[in-house]
Amino acid sequence: IGRSFIDFVHPKDRNTFASQITSGLAAPINANGVQEKVQSPSNFVSTMFCRIRRYRGLTAGFGVKDRVVTFMPYLLKLSFKNVSDEEGKVIYLVIQATPFYSAYKIPNEVVSNCVPFVMRHVANGNLEYIDSESVPYLGYLPQDITDKDALQLYHPNDLDYLQQVYKIIVKEGSSPRSKPYRFMTQNGHYVKLETEWSSFINPWSRKLEFITGKHYIIEGPSSPDVFQSPKLDKSIKFSEEENNKAQALRENIVRIMNEVLTKPAELAKQQMSKRCQDLASFMESLMEDQPKIDDELRLEIHDADHSYYERDSVMLGGISPHHDYSDSKSNTETSLS
């Protein structure tokens, strides 16, 4: 009691924490007077993940310097509460903290009922989104992994297989559930997972925008605590030859994502070409035979037995911007643009 909460937040997470607070203060939910109770969970301003420093034992407390500082990951729900006391109205920050624990109890644990989670990366491999469900399985907090290269997290010996998978994703637009492959967790070890893939093609540039993977963990890592700091001496070492081969495969995968003409893109191209041809021939026919104002008026007066739709078609080629579909009448004074 009496200490600043920010002192207990991991240095890496302080910026994320501060930005959440300032965005909440800029538009607090309860700026309209006194509120006796803490807000209900459904009205929280924001949620975030962060690591909080652990208490180091009853005798040691927080003051001892010679012990290793350890942090625990939490999901924080932040809200603001207005309280009136003798000095006037004060805004309090209310934090509801839920701890996260590793999903694994034993080394190489076989996982039967994994909650699937989604990750998305752009065409250069950089991750731009990760589900919160992944936290206990992989150990990364979203702010740690965003903008990291997803291809660096695949096991080097599985990149050959994954290159084939990426070829299918790019050519077909998606790929069925993959064979098991290895993915690095926060502690430097590898889980085995299977993935269903899909991709998004930008219809304008006809280029691959991003690839989304829905991941299912099937086997845990050899070190079950995914939140543990990676130990350099115990991390898996690869020879220089293996590293060079892995890097070449990663570069190939990036090339595949950026260069290969995909089936969805080809389809988009064909559709675009057909639209352009249709529009060009339509415009040509309009230019050759422009309707005259007199003809339009004559149609309006003399061709009363024609259906409205036919008259509109003659008058403006069926594309009048002033067409009112409820009674199918057109503004006859509008000249063709």
Side-chain angles (χ1 to χ4, degrees):
I1 303 291
R3 298 278 295 270
S4 168
F5 181 76
I6 202 89
D7 289 346
F8 301 97
V9 174
H10 194 287
K12 280 184 182 175
D13 299 330
R14 285 179 186 172
N15 282 346
T16 311
F17 181 75
S19 66
Q20 292 280 359
I21 305 288
T22 48
S23 63
L25 274 171
I29 282 183
N30 287 327
N32 58 347
V34 183
Q35 190 182 11
E36 295 299 324
K37 293 179 181 176
V38 178
Q39 291 168 298
S40 67
S42 61
N43 294 331
F44 276 107
V45 172
S46 59
T47 60
M48 66 164 288
F49 296 90
C50 92
R51 285 152 288 210
I52 298 177
R53 185 144 59 92
R54 291 182 77 163
Y55 190 65
R56 284 177 282 185
L58 292 170
T59 52
F62 281 111
V64 174
K65 300 285 183 195
D66 57 352
R67 292 205 183 187
V68 177
V69 178
T70 55
F71 290 84
M72 265 192 78
Y74 281 83
L75 172 67
L76 303 187
K77 291 188 175 179
L78 313 173
S79 65
F80 292 94
K81 178 185 177 185
N82 292 324
V83 177
S84 290
D85 56 16
E86 301 79 38
E87 296 171 16
K89 194 172 75 175
V90 182
I91 294 181
Y92 282 85
L93 170 67
V94 180
I95 302 173
Q96 179 183 325
T98 311
F100 267 106
Y101 300 100
S102 177
Y104 317 106
K105 302 282 185 288
I106 54 170
N108 305 108
E109 182 177 332
V110 176
V111 181
S112 54
N113 54 349
C114 162
V115 176
F117 56 87
V118 169
M119 292 168 74
R120 186 171 70 230
H121 69 73
V122 292
N124 64 1
N126 282 7
L127 284 159
E128 63 171 17
Y129 173 79
I130 182 168
D131 263 350
S132 55
E133 283 82 1
S134 70
V135 175
Y137 291 107
L138 299 178
Y140 300 106
L141 302 191
Q143 62 263 34
D144 295 341
I145 203 171
T146 309
D147 290 333
K148 292 276 193 310
D149 185 353
L151 307 182
Q152 294 287 346
L153 300 173
Y154 299 146
H155 193 288
N157 297 344
D158 292 335
L159 284 167
D160 215 351
Y161 165 65
L162 288 166
Q163 180 179 261
Q164 304 309 314
V165 172
Y166 272 87
K167 279 181 182 171
I168 294 167
I169 299 164
V170 170
K171 281 181 181 162
E172 302 297 329
S174 62
S175 173
R177 192 152 162 170
S178 68
K179 291 194 297 194
Y181 65 96
R182 289 161 288 185
F183 191 93
M184 191 192 285
T185 56
Q186 191 277 148
N187 65 8
H189 293 260
Y190 287 88
V191 290
K192 277 188 187 167
L193 44 77
E194 295 174 351
T195 304
E196 294 166 2
W197 309 87
S198 62
S199 65
F200 174 74
I201 307 290
N202 184 320
W204 301 109
S205 65
R206 298 200 294 277
K207 286 193 171 170
L208 183 111
E209 287 276 301
F210 54 78
I211 286 179
T212 304
K214 188 177 185 182
H215 303 283
Y216 301 82
I217 303 278
I218 56 168
E219 188 184 294
S222 50
S223 174
D225 184 3
V226 291
F227 296 115
Q228 205 171 32
S229 298
K231 291 185 171 64
L232 293 173
D233 56 331
K234 290 191 177 177
S235 62
I236 301 163
K237 299 281 193 297
F238 297 99
S239 69
E240 191 179 345
E241 189 186 341
E242 282 177 309
N243 285 332
N244 291 342
K245 186 189 172 191
Q247 190 51 35
L249 284 164
R250 289 187 196 105
E251 287 166 8
N252 272 353
I253 291 172
V254 172
R255 206 171 295 118
I256 287 164
M257 287 190 280
N258 287 286
E259 286 180 7
V260 176
L261 189 62
T262 60
K263 188 175 167 182
E266 188 55 47
L267 202 63
K269 185 179 172 184
Q270 287 167 5
Q271 287 174 340
M272 201 69 84
S273 302
K274 187 175 185 315
R275 280 186 207 144
C276 289
Q277 285 166 1
D278 290 350
L279 188 58
S281 58
F282 180 72
M283 293 307 290
E284 278 171 18
S285 69
L286 282 180
M287 297 308 290
E288 285 166 12
D289 185 23
Q290 288 190 29
K292 297 183 179 66
I293 300 294
D294 293 348
D295 292 347
E296 289 172 16
L297 291 173
R298 187 178 53 72
L299 278 169
E300 188 69 36
I301 297 160
H302 299 298
D303 290 9
D305 55 345
H306 277 189
S307 74
Y308 285 131
Y309 178 76
E310 286 172 333
R311 187 178 66 247
D312 291 350
S313 301
V314 173
M315 191 178 70
L316 285 177
I319 54 160
S320 167
H322 302 280
H323 194 293
D324 183 347
Y325 290 99
S326 59
D327 64 358
S328 197
K329 285 183 178 176
S330 295
N331 181 349
T332 56
E333 291 177 11
T334 307
S335 59
L336 178 68
S337 66

PDB file of all heavy atoms in Angstrom, residues 57-79:
ATOM      1  N   GLY A  57       8.782 -13.505  -1.193  1.00  0.00           N
ATOM      2  CA  GLY A  57       8.764 -14.269   0.070  1.00  0.00           C
ATOM      3  C   GLY A  57       8.491 -13.359   1.258  1.00  0.00           C
ATOM      4  O   GLY A  57       8.779 -12.167   1.243  1.00  0.00           O
ATOM      5  N   LEU A  58       7.980 -13.954   2.324  1.00  0.00           N
ATOM      6  CA  LEU A  58       7.561 -13.166   3.490  1.00  0.00           C
ATOM      7  C   LEU A  58       8.735 -12.475   4.173  1.00  0.00           C
ATOM      8  O   LEU A  58       8.630 -11.345   4.631  1.00  0.00           O
ATOM      9  CB  LEU A  58       6.831 -14.074   4.493  1.00  0.00           C
ATOM     10  CG  LEU A  58       5.465 -14.598   4.017  1.00  0.00           C
ATOM     11  CD1 LEU A  58       4.945 -15.657   4.969  1.00  0.00           C
ATOM     12  CD2 LEU A  58       4.473 -13.448   3.928  1.00  0.00           C
ATOM     13  N   THR A  59       9.863 -13.164   4.238  1.00  0.00           N
ATOM     14  CA  THR A  59      11.002 -12.560   4.936  1.00  0.00           C
ATOM     15  C   THR A  59      11.704 -11.536   4.054  1.00  0.00           C
ATOM     16  O   THR A  59      12.221 -10.534   4.526  1.00  0.00           O
ATOM     17  CB  THR A  59      12.019 -13.647   5.348  1.00  0.00           C
ATOM     18  OG1 THR A  59      12.337 -14.425   4.186  1.00  0.00           O
ATOM     19  CG2 THR A  59      11.444 -14.551   6.412  1.00  0.00           C
ATOM     20  N   ALA A  60      11.711 -11.800   2.759  1.00  0.00           N
ATOM     21  CA  ALA A  60      12.455 -10.922   1.857  1.00  0.00           C
ATOM     22  C   ALA A  60      11.628  -9.702   1.443  1.00  0.00           C
ATOM     23  O   ALA A  60      12.130  -8.585   1.453  1.00  0.00           O
ATOM     24  CB  ALA A  60      12.873 -11.701   0.617  1.00  0.00           C
ATOM     25  N   GLY A  61      10.360  -9.932   1.085  1.00  0.00           N
ATOM     26  CA  GLY A  61       9.527  -8.828   0.630  1.00  0.00           C
ATOM     27  C   GLY A  61      10.027  -8.268  -0.695  1.00  0.00           C
ATOM     28  O   GLY A  61      10.747  -8.910  -1.436  1.00  0.00           O
ATOM     29  N   PHE A  62       9.654  -7.016  -0.962  1.00  0.00           N
ATOM     30  CA  PHE A  62      10.025  -6.393  -2.228  1.00  0.00           C
ATOM     31  C   PHE A  62      11.369  -5.678  -2.166  1.00  0.00           C
ATOM     32  O   PHE A  62      11.880  -5.236  -3.175  1.00  0.00           O
ATOM     33  CB  PHE A  62       8.951  -5.368  -2.653  1.00  0.00           C
ATOM     34  CG  PHE A  62       7.736  -6.000  -3.267  1.00  0.00           C
ATOM     35  CD1 PHE A  62       6.523  -5.990  -2.596  1.00  0.00           C
ATOM     36  CD2 PHE A  62       7.807  -6.606  -4.504  1.00  0.00           C
ATOM     37  CE1 PHE A  62       5.398  -6.563  -3.177  1.00  0.00           C
ATOM     38  CE2 PHE A  62       6.687  -7.178  -5.080  1.00  0.00           C
ATOM     39  CZ  PHE A  62       5.487  -7.163  -4.414  1.00  0.00           C
ATOM     40  N   GLY A  63      11.925  -5.537  -0.977  1.00  0.00           N
ATOM     41  CA  GLY A  63      13.095  -4.671  -0.830  1.00  0.00           C
ATOM     42  C   GLY A  63      14.431  -5.315  -1.135  1.00  0.00           C
ATOM     43  O   GLY A  63      15.404  -4.621  -1.371  1.00  0.00           O
ATOM     44  N   VAL A  64      14.504  -6.632  -1.136  1.00  0.00           N
ATOM     45  CA  VAL A  64      15.807  -7.297  -1.252  1.00  0.00           C
ATOM     46  C   VAL A  64      16.335  -7.201  -2.691  1.00  0.00           C
ATOM     47  O   VAL A  64      15.625  -7.425  -3.649  1.00  0.00           O
ATOM     48  CB  VAL A  64      15.694  -8.778  -0.824  1.00  0.00           C
ATOM     49  CG1 VAL A  64      16.997  -9.510  -1.075  1.00  0.00           C
ATOM     50  CG2 VAL A  64      15.334  -8.842   0.645  1.00  0.00           C
ATOM     51  N   LYS A  65      17.625  -6.873  -2.803  1.00  0.00           N
ATOM     52  CA  LYS A  65      18.211  -6.632  -4.126  1.00  0.00           C
ATOM     53  C   LYS A  65      18.917  -7.858  -4.700  1.00  0.00           C
ATOM     54  O   LYS A  65      19.110  -7.956  -5.897  1.00  0.00           O
ATOM     55  CB  LYS A  65      19.251  -5.495  -4.044  1.00  0.00           C
ATOM     56  CG  LYS A  65      18.683  -4.173  -3.556  1.00  0.00           C
ATOM     57  CD  LYS A  65      17.869  -3.504  -4.640  1.00  0.00           C
ATOM     58  CE  LYS A  65      17.371  -2.146  -4.168  1.00  0.00           C
ATOM     59  NZ  LYS A  65      16.314  -1.608  -5.006  1.00  0.00           N
ATOM     60  N   ASP A  66      19.334  -8.790  -3.848  1.00  0.00           N
ATOM     61  CA  ASP A  66      20.212  -9.857  -4.342  1.00  0.00           C
ATOM     62  C   ASP A  66      19.465 -11.037  -4.949  1.00  0.00           C
ATOM     63  O   ASP A  66      20.076 -11.951  -5.470  1.00  0.00           O
ATOM     64  CB  ASP A  66      21.144 -10.349  -3.224  1.00  0.00           C
ATOM     65  CG  ASP A  66      20.363 -10.838  -2.020  1.00  0.00           C
ATOM     66  OD1 ASP A  66      19.138 -10.638  -2.013  1.00  0.00           O
ATOM     67  OD2 ASP A  66      20.983 -11.395  -1.086  1.00  0.00           O
ATOM     68  N   ARG A  67      18.147 -11.047  -4.864  1.00  0.00           N
ATOM     69  CA  ARG A  67      17.386 -12.153  -5.455  1.00  0.00           C
ATOM     70  C   ARG A  67      16.980 -11.836  -6.888  1.00  0.00           C
ATOM     71  O   ARG A  67      16.848 -10.679  -7.258  1.00  0.00           O
ATOM     72  CB  ARG A  67      16.125 -12.424  -4.633  1.00  0.00           C
ATOM     73  CG  ARG A  67      16.434 -12.977  -3.258  1.00  0.00           C
ATOM     74  CD  ARG A  67      15.249 -13.753  -2.771  1.00  0.00           C
ATOM     75  NE  ARG A  67      15.497 -14.248  -1.419  1.00  0.00           N
ATOM     76  CZ  ARG A  67      14.682 -15.077  -0.802  1.00  0.00           C
ATOM     77  NH1 ARG A  67      13.607 -15.499  -1.408  1.00  0.00           N
ATOM     78  NH2 ARG A  67      14.959 -15.494   0.413  1.00  0.00           N
ATOM     79  N   VAL A  68      16.748 -12.887  -7.680  1.00  0.00           N
ATOM     80  CA  VAL A  68      16.320 -12.683  -9.070  1.00  0.00           C
ATOM     81  C   VAL A  68      14.886 -12.159  -9.074  1.00  0.00           C
ATOM     82  O   VAL A  68      14.018 -12.679  -8.374  1.00  0.00           O
ATOM     83  CB  VAL A  68      16.396 -14.012  -9.854  1.00  0.00           C
ATOM     84  CG1 VAL A  68      15.879 -13.824 -11.282  1.00  0.00           C
ATOM     85  CG2 VAL A  68      17.832 -14.519  -9.884  1.00  0.00           C
ATOM     86  N   VAL A  69      14.666 -11.108  -9.846  1.00  0.00           N
ATOM     87  CA  VAL A  69      13.316 -10.541  -9.952  1.00  0.00           C
ATOM     88  C   VAL A  69      12.522 -11.387 -10.935  1.00  0.00           C
ATOM     89  O   VAL A  69      12.959 -11.626 -12.052  1.00  0.00           O
ATOM     90  CB  VAL A  69      13.375  -9.079 -10.456  1.00  0.00           C
ATOM     91  CG1 VAL A  69      11.967  -8.514 -10.598  1.00  0.00           C
ATOM     92  CG2 VAL A  69      14.194  -8.231  -9.517  1.00  0.00           C
ATOM     93  N   THR A  70      11.359 -11.859 -10.504  1.00  0.00           N
ATOM     94  CA  THR A  70      10.518 -12.646 -11.414  1.00  0.00           C
ATOM     95  C   THR A  70       9.189 -11.926 -11.623  1.00  0.00           C
ATOM     96  O   THR A  70       8.696 -11.226 -10.729  1.00  0.00           O
ATOM     97  CB  THR A  70      10.242 -14.059 -10.863  1.00  0.00           C
ATOM     98  OG1 THR A  70       9.669 -13.939  -9.558  1.00  0.00           O
ATOM     99  CG2 THR A  70      11.512 -14.883 -10.796  1.00  0.00           C
ATOM    100  N   PHE A  71       8.640 -12.105 -12.811  1.00  0.00           N
ATOM    101  CA  PHE A  71       7.381 -11.452 -13.172  1.00  0.00           C
ATOM    102  C   PHE A  71       6.364 -12.507 -13.572  1.00  0.00           C
ATOM    103  O   PHE A  71       6.727 -13.552 -14.111  1.00  0.00           O
ATOM    104  CB  PHE A  71       7.593 -10.501 -14.353  1.00  0.00           C
ATOM    105  CG  PHE A  71       8.405  -9.287 -14.005  1.00  0.00           C
ATOM    106  CD1 PHE A  71       9.795  -9.333 -14.022  1.00  0.00           C
ATOM    107  CD2 PHE A  71       7.782  -8.096 -13.676  1.00  0.00           C
ATOM    108  CE1 PHE A  71      10.551  -8.219 -13.708  1.00  0.00           C
ATOM    109  CE2 PHE A  71       8.534  -6.969 -13.362  1.00  0.00           C
ATOM    110  CZ  PHE A  71       9.917  -7.035 -13.375  1.00  0.00           C
ATOM    111  N   MET A  72       5.093 -12.211 -13.305  1.00  0.00           N
ATOM    112  CA  MET A  72       4.010 -13.100 -13.727  1.00  0.00           C
ATOM    113  C   MET A  72       3.130 -12.387 -14.734  1.00  0.00           C
ATOM    114  O   MET A  72       2.848 -11.196 -14.570  1.00  0.00           O
ATOM    115  CB  MET A  72       3.146 -13.507 -12.536  1.00  0.00           C
ATOM    116  CG  MET A  72       3.533 -14.821 -11.914  1.00  0.00           C
ATOM    117  SD  MET A  72       2.265 -15.364 -10.767  1.00  0.00           S
ATOM    118  CE  MET A  72       1.030 -16.010 -11.863  1.00  0.00           C
ATOM    119  N   PRO A  73       2.690 -13.097 -15.785  1.00  0.00           N
ATOM    120  CA  PRO A  73       1.811 -12.451 -16.768  1.00  0.00           C
ATOM    121  C   PRO A  73       0.363 -12.359 -16.263  1.00  0.00           C
ATOM    122  O   PRO A  73      -0.147 -13.295 -15.632  1.00  0.00           O
ATOM    123  CB  PRO A  73       1.898 -13.379 -17.980  1.00  0.00           C
ATOM    124  CG  PRO A  73       2.249 -14.708 -17.409  1.00  0.00           C
ATOM    125  CD  PRO A  73       2.993 -14.489 -16.136  1.00  0.00           C
ATOM    126  N   TYR A  74      -0.256 -11.228 -16.534  1.00  0.00           N
ATOM    127  CA  TYR A  74      -1.645 -11.000 -16.129  1.00  0.00           C
ATOM    128  C   TYR A  74      -2.437 -10.398 -17.278  1.00  0.00           C
ATOM    129  O   TYR A  74      -1.882  -9.688 -18.127  1.00  0.00           O
ATOM    130  CB  TYR A  74      -1.715 -10.006 -14.965  1.00  0.00           C
ATOM    131  CG  TYR A  74      -1.388 -10.603 -13.613  1.00  0.00           C
ATOM    132  CD1 TYR A  74      -0.070 -10.741 -13.210  1.00  0.00           C
ATOM    133  CD2 TYR A  74      -2.388 -11.017 -12.752  1.00  0.00           C
ATOM    134  CE1 TYR A  74       0.246 -11.287 -11.976  1.00  0.00           C
ATOM    135  CE2 TYR A  74      -2.088 -11.563 -11.519  1.00  0.00           C
ATOM    136  CZ  TYR A  74      -0.775 -11.697 -11.134  1.00  0.00           C
ATOM    137  OH  TYR A  74      -0.474 -12.239  -9.914  1.00  0.00           O
ATOM    138  N   LEU A  75      -3.743 -10.670 -17.251  1.00  0.00           N
ATOM    139  CA  LEU A  75      -4.679  -9.915 -18.076  1.00  0.00           C
ATOM    140  C   LEU A  75      -5.251  -8.838 -17.169  1.00  0.00           C
ATOM    141  O   LEU A  75      -5.821  -9.146 -16.110  1.00  0.00           O
ATOM    142  CB  LEU A  75      -5.797 -10.826 -18.590  1.00  0.00           C
ATOM    143  CG  LEU A  75      -6.940 -10.111 -19.315  1.00  0.00           C
ATOM    144  CD1 LEU A  75      -6.464  -9.500 -20.617  1.00  0.00           C
ATOM    145  CD2 LEU A  75      -8.101 -11.052 -19.584  1.00  0.00           C
ATOM    146  N   LEU A  76      -5.069  -7.570 -17.538  1.00  0.00           N
ATOM    147  CA  LEU A  76      -5.589  -6.460 -16.734  1.00  0.00           C
ATOM    148  C   LEU A  76      -6.827  -5.886 -17.395  1.00  0.00           C
ATOM    149  O   LEU A  76      -6.838  -5.653 -18.606  1.00  0.00           O
ATOM    150  CB  LEU A  76      -4.546  -5.346 -16.599  1.00  0.00           C
ATOM    151  CG  LEU A  76      -3.183  -5.691 -16.006  1.00  0.00           C
ATOM    152  CD1 LEU A  76      -2.375  -4.417 -15.813  1.00  0.00           C
ATOM    153  CD2 LEU A  76      -3.309  -6.437 -14.691  1.00  0.00           C
ATOM    154  N   LYS A  77      -7.859  -5.659 -16.589  1.00  0.00           N
ATOM    155  CA  LYS A  77      -9.030  -4.930 -17.064  1.00  0.00           C
ATOM    156  C   LYS A  77      -9.045  -3.601 -16.316  1.00  0.00           C
ATOM    157  O   LYS A  77      -9.054  -3.582 -15.087  1.00  0.00           O
ATOM    158  CB  LYS A  77     -10.304  -5.723 -16.792  1.00  0.00           C
ATOM    159  CG  LYS A  77     -10.394  -6.978 -17.649  1.00  0.00           C
ATOM    160  CD  LYS A  77     -11.734  -7.661 -17.515  1.00  0.00           C
ATOM    161  CE  LYS A  77     -11.823  -8.851 -18.474  1.00  0.00           C
ATOM    162  NZ  LYS A  77     -13.100  -9.548 -18.350  1.00  0.00           N
ATOM    163  N   LEU A  78      -9.010  -2.525 -17.050  1.00  0.00           N
ATOM    164  CA  LEU A  78      -8.849  -1.193 -16.461  1.00  0.00           C
ATOM    165  C   LEU A  78     -10.149  -0.408 -16.573  1.00  0.00           C
ATOM    166  O   LEU A  78     -10.765  -0.372 -17.630  1.00  0.00           O
ATOM    167  CB  LEU A  78      -7.746  -0.424 -17.192  1.00  0.00           C
ATOM    168  CG  LEU A  78      -6.429  -1.173 -17.439  1.00  0.00           C
ATOM    169  CD1 LEU A  78      -5.511  -0.347 -18.318  1.00  0.00           C
ATOM    170  CD2 LEU A  78      -5.738  -1.475 -16.120  1.00  0.00           C
ATOM    171  N   SER A  79     -10.545   0.237 -15.473  1.00  0.00           N
ATOM    172  CA  SER A  79     -11.706   1.127 -15.524  1.00  0.00           C
ATOM    173  C   SER A  79     -11.465   2.310 -14.593  1.00  0.00           C
ATOM    174  O   SER A  79     -10.551   2.289 -13.770  1.00  0.00           O
ATOM    175  CB  SER A  79     -12.986   0.386 -15.125  1.00  0.00           C
ATOM    176  OG  SER A  79     -12.907  -0.018 -13.781  1.00  0.00           O
TER     177      SER A  79
END
